[in-house]
Every structure is written in C-alpha cells, then in structure tokens.
Amino acid sequence: EIVMTQSPAILSVSPGERATLSCRASQSVSSNLAWYQQKPGQAPRLLMYAASTRATGIPARFSGSGSGTEFTLTISSLQSEDFAVYYCQQYNNWPLYTFGQGTKLEI
Amino acid sequence: QVHLQESGPGLVKPSETLSLTCSVSGYSISSGYYWGWIRQAPGKGLEWIGSIFHSGSTSYNPSLESRVTISLDTSKNQFSLKLSSVTAADTAVYSCAAYSGSYRPFDYWGQGTLVIVSS
C-alpha cells in the first residue's frame, strides 16, 4: 500500500498571504497525484490532478507541483473561501487509491 | 454533469451488514466511468473503500476486502455498498464518487451520508 503523508496537519495563515501545503508518498507515484478541497458539511472538490493541472473552474491562485514522492499545493493569495481542509490522493497504484490525512488551513 | 446521491439506514447494529445505495443521474452507469465508495470517520481523513467498473469488475481496499461487496444495478442506474460484520470503528460519513477512466482522480462526489454503528 502506498502511504500518503501530509504536512502540516494544521496551517494558520492570514488572508492575502501565501499558503504552502505538502504531501509525501511512501513510494513514487509519478505525477498521478490529486488535491481536493473540503469545506464543513460539503463533499470534497477536485482542485488539481496530474500534480499540477487545475480542474475545471479552479482559480489560478491554486498551483501544484512535484513528482515522484514530494508534492506541493500552493495558494498564492488566500481568500476567505479558501479556508478548508485539503487532501492529497495518489492514483498511480490504480485501482487501489489512497488519501493523505489532510491539512486544515485556518485563519 | 454527473450527480450522485447516497441513501440507506443511518443506524446499523454491531455485527450486522451496512447497506448503502448510490443513485446516479446525468449519466448511464453502464456506459462507462468508474464508481467508488469512500468513507470518513469522525475527525479523520478520507479512506477509499472500493470501486466498481462499468463492466462490473471490482477492486477493494485490502484492509476491508474481506467484508466489502460493491455491485451495480444498471436497471435502476445505481450502485451499492455492503459492509458486513460492522463495529463502532465503521461509524463514518460514506460517500459515493465517480471517475472518468483509469488513472484518474475522483471527478464527482455525492454529499455523503452518516452511518452510525451502535446497538
């Protein structure tokens, strides 16, 4: 099983600042890495796939990078609606999927 | 646009079988796509349970495989989850989701339904 580890567990950032979230895989997942955003009481929303490709409708302030085992999600200038929990997911070991434990982005 | 909606009992007794259904609209499940179940225990992260393909073949999380069955009902455009011998550790929000092909993330998600395991 590929284990996904996210850090930090909680990230406190002020609106307008940059946020950097990390995700590490226990073995290479190539670029088969997705990021999701989840707000309380809502379903997760796909933000990024193929490590760096924004999903439909995702603002340009969201960017992803990395390959292999180290990945980063960057939000360039935080808006109030960006405060949520973010999950990474590997799909390189398809069809066996695994998620990270999440990073809570708080004000 | 694919829309998914979970349904099923919100309370299940320990040792019994949890059964949930995902109703799909906006797409015929027999036409393609891959269909899955994910759960989230209170205060915890996301856990992939398993997936079923439009062909009917399945793949399950190894940690749950002995207790999980996912099946399609093409006549109702639904797919279902059965998890046997449940314990309190299976209390979670269960969500159905869909992805468009192999080596793809989940594109569409249902809202999720809370299932509590308690006597």
Side-chain angles (χ1 to χ4, degrees), chain A residues 94-95, chain B residues 33-36 48 50-60 70-72 79 99:
Chain A
W94 181 85
Chain B
Y33 270 66
Y34 297 77
W35 313 95
W48 172 74
S51 298
I52 188 165
F53 313 129
H54 54 87
S55 62
S57 60
T58 55
S59 179
Y60 300 130
I70 298 176
S71 59
L72 293 175
F79 62 102
Y99 56 102

Side-chain angles (χ1 to χ4, degrees), chain A residues 1 32 34 36 38 41-46 48-50 87 89 91-102, chain B residues 34 38 40 44-48 51 53 59-63 95 99 101-107 109-112:
Chain A
E1 176 186 341
N32 293 315
Y36 298 87
Q38 187 179 32
Q42 296 186 16
R45 176 174 72 149
L46 179 65
M48 203 80 59
Y49 63 95
Y87 294 96
Q89 178 217 351
Y91 50 95
N92 191 64
N93 197 26
W94 181 85
L96 303 181
Y97 288 175
T98 48
F99 293 89
Q101 285 302 101
Chain B
Y34 297 77
I38 299 100
Q40 188 170 25
K44 303 293 186 182
L46 300 169
E47 180 181 30
W48 172 74
S51 298
F53 313 129
S59 179
Y60 300 130
N61 186 324
S63 68
S95 299
Y99 56 102
S102 56
Y103 297 93
R104 283 282 309 177
F106 290 104
D107 300 290
W109 293 71
Q111 278 298 107

